[in-house]
Amino acid sequence: MTSATAYSCSVTKQAGRPAAPEDVDVTAHHVKGHNGETVKFKNPHPSASCGDPIGPLTIVPTIMFGQFTGKMVFPSVKNVKIPVVKPSFLASRSTTTSNQNLRATGSATPAIAEFPSGLRVLFDPGLRGPGARRCSSSGPSATPRRVHARRPARRRRRRHLARRTTTTFAHLRHGDRARHPAAHFFVGLGLEKWFRACGIANVTEMDWWEEAELVLTRTTGEDAKGPESIAARISCLPCQHASGRRPLDRDHTLWASWAVASGGKSVYFGGDTGYRAVPEVKDAEGAGEGDDYGPEYEGLPRNPDFARIGATRGPFDLGLLPIGAYKPRWLFSGVHASPRDAVEIFKETRCKRAMAIHWGTWLLTNEDVEEPPRLLREALRTSGIAETGVFDVCAVGESREF
């Protein structure tokens, strides 16, 4: 993102997958139809599941039955206090500035990175506006609700909040002021048609291990602020999740993690991902969940792609890594990383620093809303990493430099 009127944008996808590991089948996650075309996607590694894959037809009945029996009770959010500060962004970027740091403004879900080159990137796995009270675009009364909604959403708008958030941000006029008509969206396979149906033409669809070169060229006069041109490398990379809002659109679009490099700085966005699926593990008393990183579970498969990402695209100056929505572990571990998983991903992707995302926004799962930051500190200590200053939890809206 840059000034909506100051830059023109060109995107060139590189031929092939030049940085993909040699031992990787780059189409192993494609499910082919009878005509040889890709019809859906799958997680190619055994780390994704301990049994039946998680999906709308299994997770919803499981949660409903667990709530009925009292074995899966969502935590109260009555006294939850997620720290929130008013965000601030740099008015402009210039290559002549003495500040050549990467600047990131965090949240529990999305984050904005401001690169020394002048590039600004919004990373967001959901594109849900602050008015969205529910996570899904369908069945709003039954789907996970927001922990700290900043303003109520009108009922008639809930069903299409993802579309409304995206189009308002991208190009529609709001009052007398156009938003960001030149913003460019990078998305996984299968999603381009949704954006085009919204009236957005600036979209590039990518597969795992593909790269694209983004070049922004200033179109205004010499007195305009900002550099004459901005270049960036965008990488679409593997992660472990699933897609679909309804039973019939299961895995028809590709989930992904992303890397962006510009101005000598790089960011890895882990997005919404799992790391290693684990079975049901009981604690010593049999009343709660036990440690799934104990010696007896050391041999459980781990997703090998994070180490491959670190070896081929790393190191990264900053990682934006998920730490929440992981309980019960036997149900969600295949698609949502725990804090301990997040630390392993942090090490394998070779991130120098990290900010935690994917926690404290939606009431998705059974852990206490404020538990992930505490377990993250424990996981860092277990791995011999400083509890502060390396992989941090920031207030919503807080900015830090790297």
Side-chain angles (χ1 to χ4, degrees), residues 71-372:
K71 293 183 178 180
M72 295 179 62
V73 180
F74 285 105
S76 170
V77 298
K78 184 177 181 180
N79 297 316
V80 169
K81 296 180 180 179
I82 304 296
V84 179
V85 299
K86 184 178 179 179
S88 63
F89 305 102
L90 299 177
S92 65
R93 279 297 216 181
S94 172
T95 54
T96 61
T97 181
S98 59
N99 183 1
Q100 291 297 295
N101 292 334
L102 172 72
R103 188 172 186 268
T105 302
S107 176
T109 301
I112 293 177
E114 298 172 275
F115 290 80
S117 63
L119 182 73
R120 291 176 180 174
V121 180
L122 170 65
F123 297 92
D124 193 342
L127 286 172
R128 290 283 161 186
R133 285 200 267 184
R134 296 285 174 177
C135 185
S136 176
S137 59
S138 62
S141 63
T143 52
R145 60 188 175 89
R146 185 181 286 272
V147 172
H148 52 93
R150 294 166 63 184
R151 63 173 182 268
R154 294 180 181 178
R155 184 174 182 83
R156 64 185 178 86
R157 290 179 173 175
R158 288 183 192 166
R159 191 171 182 83
H160 300 289
L161 270 168
R163 181 185 295 263
R164 175 171 171 260
T165 301
T166 305
T167 54
T168 299
F169 171 84
H171 72 295
L172 298 183
R173 301 189 70 85
H174 184 73
D176 295 327
R177 179 169 59 89
R179 289 294 176 103
H180 300 279
H184 200 94
F185 292 82
F186 291 87
V187 300
L189 292 182
L191 285 165
E192 180 178 350
K193 62 182 180 181
W194 184 90
F195 281 79
R196 294 194 179 278
C198 293
I200 299 172
N202 302 331
V203 56
T204 297
E205 191 176 84
M206 299 176 68
D207 197 1
W208 288 354
W209 302 110
E210 283 189 327
E211 284 189 341
E213 294 297 326
L214 169 73
V215 177
L216 301 174
T217 305
R218 198 173 68 194
T219 58
T220 54
E222 294 182 359
D223 59 341
K225 295 181 179 180
E228 292 186 4
S229 65
I230 298 171
R233 184 179 71 249
I234 314 295
S235 301
C236 179
L237 298 167
C239 70
Q240 185 171 290
H241 204 262
S243 67
R245 296 292 184 179
R246 302 171 184 85
L248 296 181
D249 66 358
R250 173 74 174 162
D251 295 343
H252 286 188
T253 60
L254 180 63
W255 50 96
S257 63
W258 298 85
V260 179
S262 183
K265 294 290 185 178
S266 59
V267 175
Y268 174 68
F269 175 68
D272 199 350
T273 186
Y275 176 66
R276 58 193 281 274
V278 303
E280 187 170 9
V281 179
K282 293 292 186 179
D283 61 14
E285 290 75 25
E289 293 198 19
D291 178 15
D292 55 63
Y293 270 90
E296 62 270 42
Y297 304 107
E298 182 63 31
L300 290 177
R302 304 185 181 203
N303 189 308
D305 286 328
F306 296 108
R308 291 166 174 163
I309 290 169
T312 59
R313 306 298 170 98
F316 300 99
D317 295 288
L318 175 65
L320 302 171
L321 304 178
I323 67 167
Y326 47 81
K327 284 185 178 179
R329 292 284 286 152
W330 60 267
L331 182 60
F332 288 104
S333 59
V335 293
H336 290 162
S338 69
R340 179 68 183 272
D341 293 338
V343 172
E344 296 301 308
I345 293 173
F346 170 76
K347 294 187 294 185
E348 291 183 4
T349 53
R350 299 173 62 194
C351 294
K352 299 175 184 177
R353 301 273 299 279
M355 292 174 66
I357 61 169
H358 199 271
W359 76 280
T361 300
W362 306 105
L363 194 60
L364 288 170
T365 48
N366 289 356
E367 76 271 10
D368 290 338
V369 176
E370 296 173 288
E371 178 183 272

